[in-house]
Amino acid sequence: MKILYFAHFREKANIAEEDIDLPAGVEDVNSLLDWLEARGGGYTDAFADRNHIRVAVNQEHVEFDAALKDGDEVAFFPPMTGG
Amino acid sequence: MKILYFAHFREKANIAEEDIDLPAGVEDVNSLLDWLEARGGGYTDAFADRNHIRVAVNQEHVEFDAALKDGDEVAFFPPMTGG
Amino acid sequence: MTIRIQAEDFDAGAEIARISAVSTNVGGVCSFLGLVRDSGENSAITAMTLEHYPGMTEKQLAKIEAEARERWPLDDSLIIHRYGRFEPGEQIVLVVTASAHRKAAFEACEFLIDWLKTKAPFWKSEETPDGTTWVEAKAADNAAAEKWGE
Amino acid sequence: MTIRIQAEDFDAGAEIARISAVSTNVGGVCSFLGLVRDSGENSAITAMTLEHYPGMTEKQLAKIEAEARERWPLDDSLIIHRYGRFEPGEQIVLVVTASAHRKAAFEACEFLIDWLKTKAPFWKSEETPDGTTWVEAKAADNAAAEKWGE
């Protein structure tokens, strides 16, 4: 599974992109967020507050209950501010 | 008094612009319209139907009860279709 | 604030670029460019002629541009309106508004063009295969202008 | 229908001219040009950086442009959005819409930019004398996007 981090998530976790095997027990975005937060350090800092997290799976905006499977591309980012 | 005719008023009355002395009895746009209509020919044709006449006095859009005096510039035209 | 009533064509891109650069407070530039279409309500249009009332036109446009500046925080605005005879595809009118915020730029631009359509002393006639006719005022244009109040 | 996500600058006038000429059915071309301002909510801005999500951006913009074409009778439309670091006065985004009628052109253009502001995966950070900060999403932008429904 590929995970992408944008804007302040990239800065806090200090990583732009990583490939991981789907961790045991991770079935949806919620459980992936729990797993990331439990990693400690910048990850915990980035993912402790779930209020302003937006997520896309395979480049489509989804809610936290969206199912995940190995091979998915998951991206975390704050609310968009383009234009 | 200067009178200007635009669009189909110019075509029907067959005149773009004329200078006249304020006719006796003409006090406002209404009475000027009566006077023009009574001239006959193209004027009568142009001014018999008052529904689609718009008028400006001294380049300001006014209603038919607007007072007139010698020296005014009066213009007759249909509803605007610019843009 | 610029108002130009002219027979000559204009360079819309150059005008937009000029207005974009008036101040680094400008965050959004909205523009509307009106062109001659080749199809009218009922038939094909081969040409269009725009007649206006010199003197009154400039006066009315200056007034409405002042009103737009009062209603919206604009850094700059421009109205160019041509008169004469045009063929399909030719440029007739350009309205450009610049503001710190996009909503003001959009609203002021639409206000100006809605107003131009119904209250500036211009009259259009269309040439079609059936002859030349004066364009009648459209109820939809009046409704668009009226939504801005007086 | 064109969508371009690029670092390079663009020529807004040339794009508007191109879209004006796609068909003699086009009666109105509405455009919105977004620029970097030198003043933010609280302090002076010396530069702005736009980051995006390559791949998702193009996908999302294609989707919203298709929706605009379904909702309004457009002859053509264009979205150009830049990414990278910019200074005040620089061009960031251009939206152009062309239609037979001006109301459709205005509404579709405003719809596209409202949507871009809140749903396309772009993130802005601003450099000010106090440091660099991520721009927070604005409630007004969300309200503007929501008025178009889903």
Side-chain angles (χ1 to χ4, degrees):
Chain A
M1 161 181 286
K2 191 185 203 178
I3 309 183
L4 305 175
Y5 304 88
F6 290 100
H8 72 77
F9 293 98
R10 187 190 63 246
E11 291 182 342
K12 285 190 176 176
N14 200 25
I15 188 168
E17 185 176 332
E18 61 183 325
D19 279 296
I20 61 165
D21 292 325
L22 190 69
V26 168
E27 294 165 353
D28 59 13
V29 174
N30 267 316
S31 46
L32 178 61
L33 282 165
D34 292 340
W35 184 83
L36 287 166
E37 188 186 344
R39 276 171 139 186
Y43 288 96
T44 302
D45 191 24
F47 293 104
D49 175 7
R50 308 266 164 106
N51 280 327
H52 296 288
I53 301 176
R54 299 290 181 273
V55 61
V57 174
N58 300 325
Q59 306 187 350
E60 295 289 346
H61 200 146
V62 297
E63 302 298 322
F64 289 179
D65 59 2
L68 295 179
K69 59 182 190 312
D70 217 4
D72 281 342
E73 176 176 306
V74 184
F76 293 103
F77 43 80
M80 284 88 153
T81 56
Chain B
M1 162 182 288
K2 191 186 204 176
I3 309 183
L4 305 175
Y5 304 88
F6 290 100
H8 71 77
F9 294 98
R10 186 190 63 248
E11 292 182 342
K12 287 191 175 176
N14 199 25
I15 189 168
E17 185 175 334
E18 62 184 324
D19 279 296
I20 60 165
D21 291 326
L22 190 68
V26 168
E27 293 167 352
D28 59 12
V29 174
N30 266 317
S31 46
L32 178 60
L33 283 165
D34 292 340
W35 184 83
L36 287 166
E37 188 186 345
R39 275 170 138 186
Y43 288 95
T44 302
D45 191 24
F47 293 104
D49 175 7
R50 307 269 164 106
N51 281 326
H52 296 289
I53 301 175
R54 297 291 180 274
V55 60
V57 173
N58 300 323
Q59 305 188 350
E60 294 291 344
H61 199 145
V62 297
E63 302 299 321
F64 289 0
D65 60 2
L68 294 179
K69 59 182 191 312
D70 216 3
D72 280 343
E73 175 177 306
V74 184
F76 293 103
F77 44 81
M80 283 87 154
T81 55
Chain C
M1 309 295 124
T2 311
I3 291 164
R4 296 214 299 267
I5 313 298
Q6 62 189 44
E8 302 75 45
D9 199 6
F10 51 81
D11 181 341
E15 300 295 345
I16 292 169
R18 182 179 63 74
I19 285 181
S20 299
V22 291
S23 156
T24 46
N25 184 52
V26 173
V29 176
C30 184
S31 75
F32 179 81
L33 174 63
L35 305 151
V36 179
R37 295 177 62 208
D38 61 6
S39 45
E41 301 298 304
N42 303 307
S43 56
I45 295 166
T46 53
M48 168 173 285
T49 298
L50 261 152
E51 171 178 338
H52 78 121
Y53 181 175
M56 181 171 173
T57 314
E58 289 79 354
K59 226 165 139 172
Q60 293 297 309
L61 292 187
K63 203 187 279 185
I64 197 65
E65 197 173 43
E67 190 179 329
R69 294 201 69 187
E70 213 168 273
R71 291 172 73 152
W72 291 279
L74 301 179
D75 288 287
D76 203 359
S77 64
L78 165 75
I79 298 171
I80 301 179
H81 202 306
R82 295 174 72 193
Y83 56 85
R85 183 174 178 280
F86 308 110
E87 294 185 359
E90 283 199 76
Q91 304 186 131
I92 305 175
V93 60
L94 177 69
V95 176
V96 185
T97 53
S99 178
H101 302 290
R102 77 182 181 289
K103 196 174 160 57
F106 266 104
E107 286 187 356
C109 190
E110 201 171 4
F111 167 80
L112 289 170
I113 187 72
D114 281 350
W115 193 90
L116 267 175
K117 289 260 173 190
T118 57
K119 296 189 188 165
F122 286 98
W123 303 277
K124 277 181 189 143
S125 62
E126 290 173 346
E127 295 170 40
T128 74
D130 306 323
T132 299
T133 49
W134 291 101
V135 174
E136 290 198 22
K138 290 192 189 72
D141 284 335
N142 289 323
E146 272 162 22
K147 78 167 184 270
W148 300 106
E150 268 313 304
Chain D
M1 309 295 124
T2 311
I3 291 163
R4 296 213 298 267
I5 313 298
Q6 62 189 44
E8 303 75 45
D9 200 7
F10 51 82
D11 181 342
E15 301 295 346
I16 292 168
R18 182 178 62 74
I19 286 182
S20 300
V22 291
S23 155
T24 46
N25 183 52
V26 173
V29 177
C30 185
S31 74
F32 179 82
L33 173 63
L35 305 151
V36 179
R37 295 177 61 209
D38 61 5
S39 43
E41 301 298 304
N42 303 306
S43 56
I45 295 166
T46 52
M48 168 173 286
T49 298
L50 262 152
E51 171 178 339
H52 79 120
Y53 181 175
M56 181 171 173
T57 313
E58 288 80 355
K59 227 163 138 173
Q60 293 297 308
L61 292 187
K63 202 187 280 184
I64 198 64
E65 198 174 42
E67 190 178 330
R69 294 201 70 187
E70 213 169 273
R71 291 173 72 152
W72 290 280
L74 302 180
D75 288 286
D76 203 359
S77 64
L78 164 76
I79 299 172
I80 301 179
H81 202 305
R82 296 174 71 193
Y83 58 85
R85 183 174 178 279
F86 309 110
E87 294 186 357
E90 283 199 75
Q91 304 186 131
I92 305 174
V93 61
L94 177 69
V95 176
V96 185
T97 53
S99 179
H101 302 290
R102 76 183 182 288
K103 196 172 160 58
F106 265 104
E107 285 187 358
C109 190
E110 200 171 4
F111 167 79
L112 289 170
I113 186 73
D114 282 349
W115 193 90
L116 267 175
K117 289 260 173 191
T118 57
K119 296 188 187 165
F122 285 98
W123 302 278
K124 277 180 189 143
S125 62
E126 291 173 345
E127 295 170 41
T128 73
D130 305 324
T132 299
T133 50
W134 291 101
V135 174
E136 291 198 20
K138 290 193 188 74
D141 285 336
N142 289 322
E146 273 162 21
K147 78 167 184 272
W148 301 105
E150 266 314 302

